[in-house]
Structure formats: C-alpha cells, structure tokens
Amino acid sequence: MNDKPVALVTGANKGIGLQIAKDLASHGFTVLVGSRNLENGETAANSVGTDARALQLDVTNQASIDAAAERIRSELGRLDVLVNNAGISHAGKPGRSLEEVGKSGRPSVASLDEVRAVFETNVFGVIAVTQAMLPLLLKAPAGRIVNVSSGAGSLTLNADPTNPHRPMFGAVYSPSKTALNAITLAFAIELESTGIKVNAVCPGFTSTDLNNFEGTGTVEQAARQPVRLALLDENGPTGTFSNENRLLPW
C-alpha cells in the first residue's frame, strides 16, 4: 500500500489537466498523469515532478481503462482522488476557430457522428472510468471525484437571453456537458452514504487547445477550483456544480 494519497487526472498531459496534476502533487499526492499517448504522458509526468507517474489511459477504450485500473491496484493499492478532466470540444478538423465550431454544432446541421464522438469522451468515458476506479475509491478514507464540466452545459444559464455565450449552445459540446452534470449528480446521490464526494466544476473560459487558445483565463486559474474540490474535508459538499466564484445552476 502506498503511504501517500493517490490522485488520477485524466487527460493530464497538457492544459488544465496538467496544471491540476502539478497542484495536487504540491499538496502531497502521488499523481497519475492519464494520457492516451504514453510518451506524452511521460513527458508531462517529468514536468510534474518525482511524485508523478504516466498512465496510459484512453477514456474511450475499455481495455485501456481496465488496464489502468489494474495497474493502480497492483502498483499502488489505492486511489483517493479521481479527476475526470479528459474532454473534447468537437471531433472535426483540429485548429478550427470557435466561430467555426459553433456554426458546425448548430442543431440543424450538426453531424451525428461528431455528436457521438464528443459524448463518447465527455460522457461515456467519464462513466466508464469512474466505474472502473470505484472499487479503489471505495477503499479510500476520503474518496473524491471531480468532473471537469463547463458553464456551457448549464440549461439555466443558457436559457437566459442576456447570456452573451448563449449563441454557442449547440447540439455537440454543450449538451455533452449537460449530460456530464447529470451523471455527476447521479453518482453523488448513489455514493452519498459511502462518504465519497462527487462534484462538477467549470474551470472558466481558459486558453487551451480545446478552444483553439481563444480563451481568456490561465490554466493556473482554471485548476484552482478542481483542486479545492479534490481536497474537500468530510464537511464539504457533494452533488454540486460550481466555478471558482460561486455555485452554478444546473
């Protein structure tokens, strides 16, 4: 059994996930840097520090997920925190502007193949990874699950005509985050009696390749609330959706 608490961050080889990994390592965690490409994960883990390990993990591949869970069980024997960070904004050509992505995601023209691909990562991947890691999290003294969502998925916020981001609410990315919020609440309700806390978080409009670096926030800012939720004590909330400043409406 590893003496230090262990955290797994999916999609942690770059962007917000990498910063979350760095911050959790600074809080004394052994951090598993989940990455579809192991070589990229190893490069990222080296930048996190000596208490980081690369973990090959493709959240859309069940065999990869199962192998990752088995490796954690056999090598470390514990998992205290799961941060479901891996996500995609679209499945089209890389480097498209936000405007292009928004236009192609309009419900009247959205490709069903793209909708399925985004849901595969952003929703089904989270369910699959959480299910696989749950036996380890249930053994933890204070298991925590943090799902990286987005205000783009809030039905309440996007139903408000004054919301300047409302035109971007299409049929691809935003509904995948709406569904992720529902999954977060479902896991929180089921696991409430176990002491595992499950929360969704919006990291803000952060400059990453998810939005072709058109975001305005830094990864350092974006990582703060996910890390805070990962470190909740026994009196902390479960089944919430928030950003750094406030609780957000579903």
Side-chain angles (χ1 to χ4, degrees):
M1 171 71 81
N2 195 55
D3 290 335
K4 298 178 65 172
V6 177
L8 166 60
V9 184
T10 67
N13 57 290
K14 59 184 177 180
I16 296 171
L18 177 56
Q19 188 62 46
I20 292 171
K22 290 177 178 178
D23 290 354
L24 288 174
S26 74
H27 282 281
F29 280 80
T30 294
V31 181
L32 298 165
V33 177
S35 175
R36 282 180 298 181
N37 179 288
L38 183 58
E39 187 177 343
N40 291 343
E42 287 170 343
T43 300
N46 288 336
S47 75
V48 174
T50 55
D51 283 325
R53 305 185 188 189
L55 184 70
Q56 196 283 322
L57 179 56
D58 180 346
V59 304
T60 67
N61 183 297
Q62 192 63 50
S64 170
I65 295 168
D66 292 342
E70 175 56 28
R71 184 182 165 198
I72 296 169
R73 188 197 64 76
S74 62
E75 292 185 12
L76 296 165
R78 67 185 292 172
L79 182 64
D80 301 81
V81 168
L82 169 61
V83 181
N84 286 305
N85 167 75
I88 58 175
S89 59
H90 62 89
K93 188 173 68 175
R96 290 192 297 169
S97 69
L98 271 181
E99 185 180 7
E100 290 175 291
V101 172
K103 285 180 178 178
S104 68
R106 288 172 181 165
S108 58
V109 297
S111 157
L112 277 177
D113 286 342
E114 185 167 22
V115 174
R116 291 187 181 102
V118 170
F119 268 68
E120 196 67 51
T121 295
N122 295 2
V123 184
F124 308 142
V126 171
I127 298 173
V129 171
T130 304
Q131 288 178 343
M133 303 302 165
L134 207 47
L136 287 161
L137 288 162
L138 285 165
K139 294 177 182 177
R144 302 289 180 261
I145 300 170
V146 181
N147 294 335
V148 178
S149 185
S150 170
S154 168
L155 296 178
T156 301
L157 292 178
N158 285 288
D160 180 358
T162 66
N163 180 355
H165 302 294
R166 191 181 192 225
M168 287 293 290
F169 192 91
V172 185
Y173 177 74
S174 293
S176 79
K177 293 302 186 179
T178 308
L180 174 60
N181 287 347
I183 293 303
T184 301
L185 187 57
F187 270 114
I189 291 169
E190 180 183 1
L191 297 174
E192 197 162 18
S193 64
T194 71
I196 293 177
K197 297 184 185 297
V198 190
N199 293 286
V201 59
C202 170
F205 189 39
T206 309
S207 179
T208 68
D209 60 0
L210 191 81
N211 52 45
N212 201 33
F213 297 96
E214 293 179 45
T216 53
T218 67
V219 292
E220 289 81 9
Q221 292 169 322
R224 283 200 289 251
Q225 181 69 350
V227 170
R228 189 186 74 78
L229 292 169
L231 300 175
L232 287 175
D233 62 24
E234 61 181 12
N235 298 314
T238 189
T240 67
F241 177 34
S242 62
N243 61 18
E244 189 179 10
N245 301 313
R246 65 185 179 109
L247 288 174
L248 296 173
W250 301 109

